[in-house]
Amino acid sequence: MTTVRYDSYLTLHYRITTLDGEEFLSTFDMSPATLQMGGGQLADTLESVLLGLPAHERFVFELEPDAAFGQHNPRLIERIARSGLPADMELKENSVVEFAVPNGGSFAGFLRELGATHALFDFNHPLAGKTIRFEVEIIGIM
């Protein structure tokens, strides 16, 4: 029987929810996802629970913060002067803002508060500090 390995290529459906049922992400109502294990498409902590699983079954894992998206880090909350932000950046409270980095990549921050002179961003993962439910159905393993 074929099972998920560190170098497997997978086709799967997955759903990530908080314990109170708030859905963060799901592929069950769309085409299945495909991913290369270790490719960064899924958090390493989530990939690790897939190792050794067979195809054609559904599994549900309850993961504490350290086994999911980590603890909430107060040092990743930063007050930035509006004058230091790009003039064309759309700023809307309670929304995710993308920041470009010199190497061409980007990272996201959640805009918690917007004042006249400053903006308060949270750069933690939205599920940091939360216990999650990770439901997965592996369709194929290559």
Side-chain angles (χ1 to χ4, degrees):
M1 171 172 46
T2 303
T3 60
V4 177
R5 297 185 331 243
Y6 288 101
D7 60 349
S8 294
Y9 185 78
L10 306 178
T11 302
L12 73 164
H13 277 297
Y14 64 94
R15 177 179 294 119
I16 300 170
T17 60
T18 59
L19 287 187
D20 61 8
E22 179 187 346
E23 190 170 275
F24 180 73
L25 182 64
S26 177
T27 65
F28 281 98
D29 54 356
M30 58 180 74
S31 296
T34 57
L35 68 93
Q36 174 70 52
M37 290 289 285
Q41 297 142 293
L42 200 58
D44 291 344
T45 51
L46 299 183
E47 282 190 3
S48 69
V49 301
L50 300 178
L51 293 171
L53 297 181
H56 313 297
E57 289 186 46
R58 192 177 276 209
F59 301 91
V60 178
F61 301 94
E62 191 173 294
L63 303 172
E64 296 291 326
D66 287 334
F69 294 98
Q71 297 294 335
H72 190 269
N73 183 347
R75 291 181 296 196
L76 294 178
I77 298 175
E78 192 170 334
R79 187 172 303 281
I80 301 173
R82 287 184 76 158
S83 61
L85 297 170
D88 62 347
M89 181 178 274
E90 185 179 332
L91 299 174
K92 183 179 173 192
E93 233 177 63
N94 297 317
S95 68
V96 176
V97 177
E98 289 284 326
F99 290 85
V101 291
N103 69 2
S106 68
F107 64 96
F110 184 76
L111 179 53
R112 289 197 178 278
E113 297 173 14
L114 183 60
T117 59
H118 288 79
L120 184 67
F121 289 96
D122 186 343
F123 294 102
N124 284 284
H125 188 281
L127 294 174
K130 296 182 179 179
T131 299
I132 64 159
R133 248 182 116 244
F134 179 45
E135 181 179 356
V136 63
E137 180 181 348
I138 299 170
I139 297 166
I141 303 170
M142 292 194 299

